[in-house]
Amino acid sequence: MTLRLPLLRNFKAPSLALAALLLATACASAPTRPPVSIGSGQPRVDPVTGEILTDPGAQVAETATSGSFRSDGGLTPNFMLGLDVKRAAVLLPFSHPNAQVRAEAESMLAGVELALFENGGTDFMIMPMDTAGRASTAEARADEAIQEGADIILGPLFGANVGPVKEAALRKSVPVVAFSNDRTVAGGGAYLASVMPEEEVVRIMGYAATRGTRTFAFLGPDSAYGRQVEAAMRAEALKNGWTVLGAGFYDPSTSASSEVSRIASLIKAERSQVGLLIPERGTKLLTIAPLLIVNGVDPGRTRFLGTSLMDDSAIWREPALAGALYATVDPDYLSSFKATYDRIYGRKPTDLAAAAYDATALAITLAGENNMKHGGVTDPDGFMGVNGLFRFRLDGTSERGLAVKEIRNSGAVVVEGGVTRFPPGGS
């Protein structure tokens, strides 16, 4: 199953201020499972209200002035009275003190809008709410969302905010699809829509093993992310009976030369093929890779492995990285989303904008099936979105159909695409 290029009408991007009453339907048809295609790529059959105008913002503004009705069924705009309205609250840090975080939240909301415009109609409503990045505020917004009839909560962004939100949501059995990549906050009614580092590690090690590499080593930053990746590497090796030579951690703010030398010595003493996992990017990676070669690491017997951090054209011309492998979202699905986002909003999306798109499309799909429940979110057949195939485990983490790319002189190319169907049963 593949995603087609979205055929959106040419309209201006809705503003953040107008998003508070952005509406869409949940009645779009879905293909036969498995899996459900939640990013159909087709334009909406029905507009929000009436016909799509050249400037949709004027239309949304008009509906916003029409008032709303608060009943036991939840907050409902007047023009939606009589409809079986489904509601998704979107909890993001729009007023966070950090400008980069605010920009991320706005890009994610744009992803939400794009999913609505592609998949929606008239009986689905989103309720964007500002968490400011604070746990107490996120909990308060979750309480408000539930009082206003939210059937599902999309967000929050930060792991520290997930706990209070899911506790508030659990009282009404409302699913929470959050965007943290900290697996320790998953579960208890919260599902993590971000691409988890652990999934990338499992994918790249599995691919390497099928090509004869079953001995691994780690070289990465002494950070929460580095420790997360290294722990995942050890867990996957233990699970499969593979060998781990050792691990080297360096201070991200200083030179990695001493750890490079130590790990190089371990690799040179090993007779079998070694996969060296380096969860790094940018200038740091451009320094480490050639330094490993200088320290005697034989690229003929050592394959550099990476996470999606390597999916950066700025590092692909480094000769020392030729042949490096990394796991990432399958570009066959993501490229259409990126092109449409850029055309509509005039800028490139963040990685989390795609995750926000998929979370929203998932909510719309489940609403159309009248199944916005925990059992719907954890459908073992999974869903096909712009980030490829995914499904949520009962523990709240996600399983992904990731691709593997190899760095070559011409750039990074897909050497194995993501799967399009999960095996039967849960993961």
Side-chain angles (χ1 to χ4, degrees):
M1 185 177 298
T2 59
L3 288 176
R4 297 183 295 276
L5 179 66
L7 301 175
L8 295 179
R9 297 176 176 88
N10 290 317
F11 52 76
K12 297 178 184 177
S15 68
L16 184 61
L18 296 177
L21 279 174
L22 203 58
L23 309 169
T25 187
C27 299
S29 61
T32 303
R33 281 193 250 190
V36 170
S37 176
I38 60 173
S40 66
Q42 295 299 310
R44 290 179 306 142
V45 175
D46 300 315
V48 176
T49 57
E51 291 296 319
I52 292 289
L53 303 179
T54 301
D55 181 2
Q59 183 175 9
V60 179
E62 179 182 351
T63 63
T65 62
S66 61
S68 60
F69 177 75
R70 182 71 177 87
S71 69
D72 291 340
L75 183 66
T76 306
N78 284 340
F79 63 87
M80 297 182 77
L81 292 178
L83 298 177
D84 182 17
V85 180
K86 301 297 190 298
R87 302 167 183 84
V90 179
L91 275 58
L92 292 172
F94 299 115
S95 66
H96 194 277
N98 185 294
Q100 186 174 351
V101 173
R102 294 195 303 271
E104 181 71 71
E106 189 167 350
S107 184
M108 292 175 71
L109 183 58
V112 169
E113 293 172 344
L114 192 53
L116 291 170
F117 280 120
E118 282 196 39
N119 302 290
T122 58
D123 60 356
F124 190 91
M125 173 177 156
I126 68 163
M127 302 184 294
M129 296 181 171
D130 180 21
T131 67
R134 295 190 293 267
S136 59
T137 304
E139 182 178 18
R141 297 295 86 80
D143 283 330
E144 291 173 12
I146 293 167
Q147 290 171 10
E148 292 176 0
D151 298 285
I152 193 168
I153 294 175
L154 309 180
L157 175 58
F158 298 121
N161 297 350
V162 173
V165 169
K166 71 180 179 183
E167 288 179 12
L170 195 59
R171 293 192 283 268
K172 293 292 185 179
S173 196
V174 173
V176 175
V177 180
F179 301 106
S180 168
N181 65 358
D182 179 1
R183 67 185 298 122
T184 65
V185 303
Y191 310 92
L192 304 186
S194 299
V195 179
M196 307 292 292
E198 289 85 355
E199 286 297 301
E200 297 177 350
V201 171
V202 169
R203 179 69 170 106
I204 197 60
M205 290 180 70
Y207 179 84
T210 63
R211 270 68 183 171
T213 300
R214 295 179 176 84
T215 299
F216 299 90
F218 174 91
L219 177 63
D222 190 3
S223 63
Y225 176 76
R227 295 284 176 180
Q228 187 177 6
V229 170
E230 191 266 350
M233 181 196 73
R234 289 189 181 276
E236 189 64 10
L238 179 63
K239 174 184 174 182
N240 291 284
W242 301 331
T243 301
V244 174
L245 289 180
F249 293 94
Y250 51 81
D251 185 336
S253 63
T254 62
S255 170
S257 58
S258 61
E259 287 302 310
V260 167
S261 177
R262 189 175 70 83
I263 291 299
S265 296
L266 290 177
I267 293 173
K268 287 186 292 184
E270 175 63 32
R271 299 177 64 86
S272 61
Q273 180 88 11
V274 177
L276 177 59
L277 184 57
I278 313 173
E280 193 56 271
R281 70 166 87 208
T283 303
K284 198 74 171 184
L285 183 58
L286 292 175
T287 301
I288 288 174
L291 193 56
L292 284 163
I293 305 301
V294 169
N295 276 267
V297 171
D298 181 0
R301 292 195 308 106
T302 306
R303 183 64 68 95
F304 294 162
L305 309 177
T307 64
S308 57
L309 293 181
M310 280 191 182
D311 201 31
D312 175 9
S313 59
I315 58 97
W316 294 342
R317 293 186 178 182
E318 168 54 52
L321 289 172
L325 299 167
Y326 62 92
T328 188
V329 170
D330 195 320
D332 283 349
Y333 303 111
L334 192 57
S335 58
S336 294
F337 167 76
K338 288 182 174 179
T340 303
Y341 185 106
D342 187 35
R343 176 169 61 83
I344 298 299
Y345 295 99
R347 63 182 185 273
K348 296 186 182 301
T350 63
D351 291 341
L352 286 175
Y357 178 103
D358 278 354
T360 306
L362 167 66
I364 293 171
T365 297
L366 294 180
E369 299 173 352
N370 197 29
N371 195 22
M372 295 176 77
K373 303 171 183 176
H374 293 285
V377 175
T378 56
D379 187 329
D381 293 331
F383 305 89
M384 184 67 79
V386 298
N387 269 338
L389 185 66
F390 71 98
R391 65 180 171 186
F392 292 110
R393 303 182 178 95
L394 295 179
D395 67 2
T397 60
S398 62
E399 182 179 3
R400 297 275 171 177
L402 298 174
V404 174
K405 296 175 83 172
E406 180 179 356
I407 298 176
R408 297 178 181 172
N409 292 336
S410 58
V413 299
V414 175
V415 291
E416 188 169 273
V419 298
T420 58
R421 183 169 294 186
F422 287 119
S427 58

